[in-house]
Amino acid sequence: MIQKILIANRGEIALRIVRACRELGIKTLAVYSEADVQSLHVQLADEAICIGGPKSEDSYMRADRIISAAEIADVDAIHPGYGFLSENAKFAEQCESCNIKFIGPKSHSIKIMGDKSVARETVRKANVPTVPGSDGPIESEAAAVKIARKIGYPIIIKAVAGGGGRGMRIAHNDVSFAKEYHIARAEAEKTFGNGSVYIEKFVQNPRHIEFQILADSHGKVLHLGERDCSVQRRHQKLIEESPSPFLTSDLRKRMGKAAVRAAEAAEYENAGTIEFIVDAKGEFYFIEMNTRIQVEHPVTEEVTGIDLIKEQIRIAAGEKLNMDQKDIEFRGHAIECRINAEDPARNFIPSPGTIGLYYAPGGHGVRVDSHVYSGYTIPSYYDSMIGKLIAYGDNRKTALERMYRALSEYLIRGIKTTIPLHKAILSDPIFIAGKATTAYLEEFLSRTPPDLF
Ligand code: ADP
Ligand code: ADP
Ligand code: MG
């Protein structure tokens, strides 16, 4: 039985978890940094404990303090959210050894999928297509050049420990390769404390299409359909939707099955995501698995009617999934826009500060997941995402129209946000036609005068 959960995160996802717990009758403990006293998740949780200074290294990344808070407050489980310690195998292990349930997969699954090169090998053995690339990490520059030539340029150099869109460099020939290889290694070492890199063919103009997985501790693995996250800036997602306007029902079936095989290969348990890139011909390739709840999980919730956070908690409590693959039905269309405190007209420079007036849109088919409110001060220490706007409709056209309407109602005064950019994208014929690939946003920005957003 889980009666009380510690939420080892902040922002909108912490609030999302508080809400799910409330509905399940589970008590919540918020842990927070000195910069987050004002945050809504701290106000709305049943209990709250301050765990340190504003920098995440002094608070949200401090496993020791979080586990101490869990012991003091006598919680049964810890929900890690996304980012921070959510994909840290050691933290999952520490929780288990203190007899606190980690709401996520077992640490050995996190380890397999947390090393992107090991992940590739693991799923390849389970007959899941991977992008042509190096078998394992690169040993030396000379070995790397040989592999790059064999694969054929352009290639992408990726950190085995990468995440959050960082640690990736593209090379077009031997000369740029040597340069990018050294930059990639140094960046990986600095950002992830692990300089190990691997190489993949750089697939031109692909779609990013990922599958949501739910797996229980009794061996049942299901997929909850796809999310198309092709609208990206610097490999970071900005807009996500489900279903993908690109997939045929045959391709969806084949990718869904491959996603389930990939999760099974890691003996996966709980919610997770298998990410693929898909080329223009419909060839699909595994790129990585995220072993946690994802930012964009609400679009799946809207089209399936399944509450993913509640499922995560039930799975962690040892319950069996009470559905089979055939029971999962997809209805309508959902789209999510990430609302970031950034100025899109000035190269997306972060725009922290105090929000004056705040008014969130509502009405039929509109959902806002956000922890901010009028008078809230956005700290400068964390990710710039301050909320997610989700619109649902019977079909893609209705969902897009509703999203535009909701964006037009959304008032966030005092800071710059990505709202005007989202409105411009939602008015763009290429996006409306469902033709956006991962190359889309850069092309859109290059032809759109910044004063339009
Ligand atoms: P999603 O795949 O759910 O869309 P993102 O890739 O946007 O998630 O990452 C979610 C959050 O986690 C972001 O704040 C991102 O910066 C952070 N993040 C994800 N992976 C890592 C990592 N390996 N190291 C540091 N931060 C990460
Ligand atoms: P992260 O762990 O940072 O999320 P991913 O491996 O998921 O990194 O890649 C992030 C994004 O980078 C993808 O969504 C895609 O847009 C791009 N990308 C990654 N690998 C490739 C590739 N081999 N070819 C083309 N684009 C890629
Ligand atoms: Mg990814």
Side-chain angles (χ1 to χ4, degrees):
M1 269 289 278
I2 295 181
Q3 287 173 322
K4 194 175 183 184
I5 290 176
L6 180 154
I7 301 162
N9 216 297
R10 64 178 301 281
E12 68 83 20
I13 193 66
L15 184 58
R16 171 73 187 83
I17 299 163
V18 169
R19 287 172 168 159
C21 289
R22 272 279 145 78
E23 291 175 19
L24 289 171
I26 295 172
K27 292 266 183 271
T28 51
L29 166 67
V31 292
Y32 63 99
S33 78
E34 284 161 12
D36 276 338
V37 183
Q38 282 195 315
S39 192
L40 212 48
H41 84 278
V42 178
Q43 316 287 322
L44 292 184
D46 295 297
E47 292 170 48
I49 298 182
C50 182
I51 50 166
K55 286 191 195 140
S56 46
E57 306 90 273
D58 297 331
S59 48
Y60 299 107
M61 294 300 287
R62 287 291 296 266
D64 55 340
R65 294 191 184 168
I66 292 169
I67 289 177
S68 300
E71 286 182 331
I72 292 166
D74 198 21
V75 307
D76 307 299
I78 294 183
H79 197 305
Y82 53 72
F84 299 125
L85 295 169
S86 62
E87 293 178 279
N88 186 312
K90 203 169 144 212
F91 179 62
E93 233 163 61
Q94 283 170 331
C95 292
E96 300 299 343
S97 69
C98 295
N99 231 346
I100 303 164
K101 187 80 204 164
F102 176 81
I103 304 177
K106 294 276 179 286
S107 59
H108 82 97
S109 306
I110 304 180
K111 267 184 210 145
I112 293 170
M113 291 305 191
D115 181 314
K116 292 166 91 172
S117 169
V118 173
R120 273 166 59 85
E121 294 309 307
T122 307
V123 307
R124 208 164 52 105
K125 285 188 198 131
N127 230 346
V128 176
T130 54
V131 190
S134 55
D135 306 323
I138 301 294
E139 309 291 348
S140 68
E141 187 189 317
V145 173
K146 260 193 210 147
I147 299 165
R149 281 192 191 151
K150 198 170 139 217
I151 301 165
Y153 290 105
I155 56 100
I156 181 165
I157 308 161
K158 301 171 75 170
V160 302
R166 283 167 300 168
M168 278 179 279
R169 311 289 300 191
I170 297 157
H172 295 273
N173 50 52
D174 285 358
V175 179
S176 71
F177 179 82
K179 190 174 126 236
E180 299 297 343
Y181 171 73
H182 291 289
I183 299 175
R185 284 195 64 101
E187 266 184 5
E189 183 66 51
K190 191 167 158 253
T191 318
F192 309 109
N194 177 355
S196 197
V197 298
Y198 65 107
I199 301 181
E200 278 178 1
K201 173 100 190 148
F202 182 67
V203 179
Q204 309 261 16
N205 303 334
R207 298 266 184 163
H208 172 115
I209 298 176
E210 58 185 34
F211 276 72
Q212 176 67 52
I213 294 290
L214 273 185
D216 66 19
S217 56
H218 306 274
K220 190 188 276 187
V221 184
L222 305 174
H223 79 79
L224 272 59
E226 81 278 9
R227 296 182 286 258
D228 191 321
C229 316
S230 301
V231 179
Q232 301 182 351
R233 176 174 177 268
R234 299 192 174 164
H235 311 301
Q236 275 178 315
K237 301 158 189 165
L238 217 60
I239 300 180
E240 304 97 350
E241 60 183 304
S242 186
S244 166
F246 183 79
L247 288 195
T248 59
S249 67
D250 170 63
L251 190 49
R252 178 173 295 114
K253 254 189 213 139
R254 286 191 288 128
M255 289 179 73
K257 283 188 178 155
V260 168
R261 287 200 301 279
E264 284 169 346
E267 295 171 22
Y268 202 76
E269 179 186 322
N270 216 289
T273 298
I274 306 292
E275 295 191 335
F276 295 104
I277 46 179
V278 188
D279 71 14
K281 286 183 275 177
E283 293 296 326
F284 65 90
Y285 308 95
F286 169 90
I287 50 171
E288 67 158 342
M289 178 173 201
N290 289 321
T291 57
R292 55 170 162 88
I293 192 72
Q294 256 177 307
V295 172
E296 58 273 23
H297 75 275
V299 297
T300 300
E301 295 185 324
E302 296 305 315
V303 297
T304 61
I306 295 168
D307 185 317
L308 286 166
I309 306 288
K310 286 187 186 171
E311 291 301 331
Q312 284 195 289
I313 297 169
R314 291 190 189 113
I315 290 167
E319 288 182 33
K320 286 186 172 161
L321 281 167
N322 67 355
M323 54 192 130
D324 290 312
Q325 192 64 55
K326 63 172 176 19
D327 303 323
I328 298 167
E329 285 177 30
F330 303 96
R331 281 191 54 188
H333 197 97
I335 174 166
E336 172 181 280
C337 290
R338 296 193 188 194
I339 312 300
N340 297 341
E342 293 170 355
D343 186 352
R346 288 177 54 215
N347 206 23
F348 296 82
I349 186 171
S351 178
T354 300
I355 296 174
L357 178 72
Y358 176 84
Y359 175 80
H364 187 191
V366 173
R367 165 175 172 181
V368 176
D369 278 22
S370 173
H371 61 293
V372 310
Y373 50 85
S374 294
Y376 174 81
T377 300
I378 301 158
S380 55
Y381 300 95
Y382 315 106
D383 199 272
S384 60
M385 197 183 76
I386 55 164
K388 306 181 304 203
L389 176 58
I390 302 106
Y392 173 81
D394 290 340
N395 52 53
R396 188 169 186 267
K397 185 169 179 286
T398 311
L400 262 51
E401 288 163 355
R402 189 161 280 157
M403 177 58 90
Y404 190 87
R405 184 271 290 172
L407 286 163
S408 310
E409 280 175 29
Y410 211 157
L411 298 182
I412 308 179
R413 296 268 151 80
I415 56 156
K416 296 285 184 194
T417 74
T418 44
I419 291 172
L421 171 67
H422 284 303
K423 286 175 73 179
I425 295 172
L426 272 124
S427 313
D428 186 53
I430 296 178
F431 181 76
I432 293 171
K435 296 213 160 89
T437 69
T438 60
Y440 166 75
L441 191 67
E442 198 176 87
E443 181 272 324
F444 172 82
L445 291 172
S446 72
R447 67 174 150 85
T448 311
D451 56 314
L452 284 185
F453 46 80

